[in-house]
Amino acid sequence: VCSSDLLQAVSCWLLLTSLPPKALVPVEKKAKPAVSKPAKVKKKTKSAFDKAALWVLVPILLTFFCRTVLVGQQIPLGLGAFAASLILLWVLKFRGHSGIEPEEGAANAPEVFSDKTALFILLAVAVLMRFPFLGQNFTGLQIDEANDLMDGINVMTGNLNTPFGVGWWANPSLPYFVLAGFFKVFGVHLAVARGLSALLSCATLFFLFRFCRFFFSVAASFTAGLLLNFSWWFLFYSLSPFDDIFTVCFGTATFYFLEKAMRQGRRVDFWWAGLLAGASVMTYISGRLIPVMAVAALGGIVLFLRPAKFWSVYGRSIVLFFSALFWFLGPFVIFVSRDPDQFFEIGRAHV
């Protein structure tokens, strides 16, 4: 435990100290003062080596780090690979902004790492850390995970017949129906269940990166996703056939769509935010707080930011958010209302 904690601390320190100060500049730029002469911006070009390093060498080095440390427990060798990848990124001048603030009339300085490139590398590292280990007993198999697998089979046999009910120990049954769908397509196998969790973890990293890009640069958003990707608890549930990864994925997606809706005003994003908030409740016990957090975020915007004409602009969209929330969550609430003690049993057990 001590060695893994030390490894995580050193890794975070290396990654954060390698980022230039400009990496933490928000996406939205402030108004720039007028000047007589616009700043000249040197256009940056990528050589064949740059492209090979960005798309091939960095993911290989990071994957080698994960395999040596997490599987082989070869900490010095893994740290060397991790440091080599950081040095390579630094040599390529990896950062979210070029460091040159273009003045009015000047062309915007191109980023060395675009959103698509950073997201591709992040997801490539996540895939290489997970899918090669689906057939191995890397994270073990606990009794709760076995119960989840059995309820997935119960859905296939008809013993569990609604996704808006509960399964073993009053856990919501929605994840078991998703698992049963994967079993029907790919076959009943432990690797298939772990593959579903790995897929949801990659989706979580996607939504986290896109959410961070609303506030931070490419480098900072990439760093946030990379640190989450390397964290042990997230990696564990990425290969565990349990409900927790559903909660993390649906919860992250909820706030991504909610922030996107508030910025762009698209009502379909409010709809998806409400639907995913309702789905979060139907995953695991911690998911019950996702709608509360979403409503608290909206309340904080109204009470503290006090935007002008908030209700006239967003009123109907917020109604749509709650409509999607209760439309998807309503059948589950009706089911639970018939036997509330069964629903709160798991909560009391954890307290």
Side-chain angles (χ1 to χ4, degrees):
V1 175
C2 295
S3 61
S4 62
D5 292 342
L6 178 62
L7 171 63
Q8 188 176 23
V10 173
S11 302
C12 293
W13 179 80
L14 285 172
L15 189 56
L16 291 176
T17 53
S18 68
L19 294 176
K22 281 289 180 182
L24 299 179
V25 176
V27 176
E28 296 180 358
K29 298 181 180 179
K30 298 180 180 179
K32 305 173 184 62
V35 293
S36 56
K37 295 182 179 180
K40 294 183 179 180
V41 178
K42 295 182 179 180
K43 187 176 181 180
K44 300 177 181 179
T45 58
K46 296 179 182 178
S47 64
F49 171 77
D50 293 336
K51 295 179 180 179
L54 291 176
W55 294 85
V56 180
L57 295 180
V58 173
I60 289 177
L61 285 171
L62 291 175
T63 305
F64 181 73
F65 155 75
C66 300
R67 186 173 184 84
T68 53
V69 174
L70 299 177
V71 180
Q73 297 296 319
Q74 302 175 25
I75 295 179
L77 187 61
L79 280 178
F82 187 74
S85 65
L86 292 178
I87 294 172
L88 182 58
L89 288 174
W90 182 253
V91 170
L92 296 172
K93 296 181 180 180
F94 164 63
R95 52 189 174 183
H97 295 276
S98 63
I100 303 175
E101 294 292 339
E103 304 297 342
E104 188 176 358
N108 291 333
E111 295 181 352
V112 177
F113 252 28
S114 65
D115 283 68
K116 293 182 179 180
T117 303
L119 186 58
F120 174 83
I121 293 177
L122 176 63
L123 295 179
V125 173
V127 168
L128 293 173
M129 286 178 61
R130 288 157 176 78
F131 287 91
F133 306 108
L134 296 181
Q136 302 180 20
N137 202 26
F138 179 51
T139 56
L141 185 65
Q142 302 178 12
I143 184 64
D144 290 350
E145 297 168 326
N147 288 331
D148 270 29
L149 295 173
M150 291 302 300
D151 266 354
I153 297 176
N154 286 335
V155 173
M156 299 177 65
T157 58
N159 294 326
L160 195 59
N161 52 20
T162 174
F164 302 101
V166 295
W168 71 278
W169 205 23
N171 284 305
S173 58
L174 177 63
Y176 310 139
F177 275 78
V178 180
L179 177 60
F182 267 68
F183 278 162
K184 289 183 178 180
V185 174
F186 301 104
V188 181
H189 196 280
L190 179 58
V192 174
R194 287 175 173 162
L196 172 60
S197 297
L199 188 63
L200 289 171
S201 69
C202 293
T204 302
L205 292 172
F206 171 84
F207 288 121
L208 176 69
F209 178 84
R210 299 305 305 169
F211 177 78
C212 292
R213 284 293 287 126
F214 287 128
F215 306 96
F216 305 108
S217 66
V218 175
S221 304
F222 178 82
T223 303
L226 201 63
L227 291 177
L228 177 63
N229 179 55
F230 285 155
S231 64
W232 168 245
W233 72 267
F234 186 72
L235 180 62
F236 177 87
Y237 285 113
S238 298
L239 294 170
S240 170
F242 196 64
D243 305 338
D244 279 305
I245 197 64
F246 283 87
T247 306
V248 178
C249 182
F250 292 167
T252 306
T254 296
F255 289 99
Y256 162 72
F257 281 108
L258 186 60
E259 181 64 27
K260 183 182 177 183
M262 295 299 297
R263 288 174 179 262
Q264 300 180 4
R266 297 179 59 193
R267 292 183 179 176
V268 66
D269 293 326
F270 279 100
W271 173 266
W272 278 112
L275 189 145
L276 288 165
S280 300
V281 178
M282 300 162 56
T283 55
Y284 197 56
I285 182 173
S286 55
R288 302 174 188 178
L289 292 177
I290 299 297
V292 178
M293 295 165 61
V295 173
L298 292 173
I301 293 174
V302 175
L303 294 177
F304 299 105
L305 298 182
R306 297 181 180 180
K309 300 180 179 180
F310 178 82
W311 292 110
S312 61
V313 175
Y314 293 106
R316 295 180 180 179
S317 299
I318 291 178
V319 171
L320 185 63
F321 167 82
F322 283 104
S323 298
L325 172 65
F326 291 111
W327 171 77
F328 195 76
L329 189 60
F332 182 72
V333 173
I334 295 174
F335 182 91
V336 169
S337 64
R338 299 171 181 173
D339 189 4
D341 291 337
Q342 186 182 23
F343 177 70
F344 293 107
E345 176 187 356
I346 185 173
R348 289 193 295 265
H350 281 77
V351 173

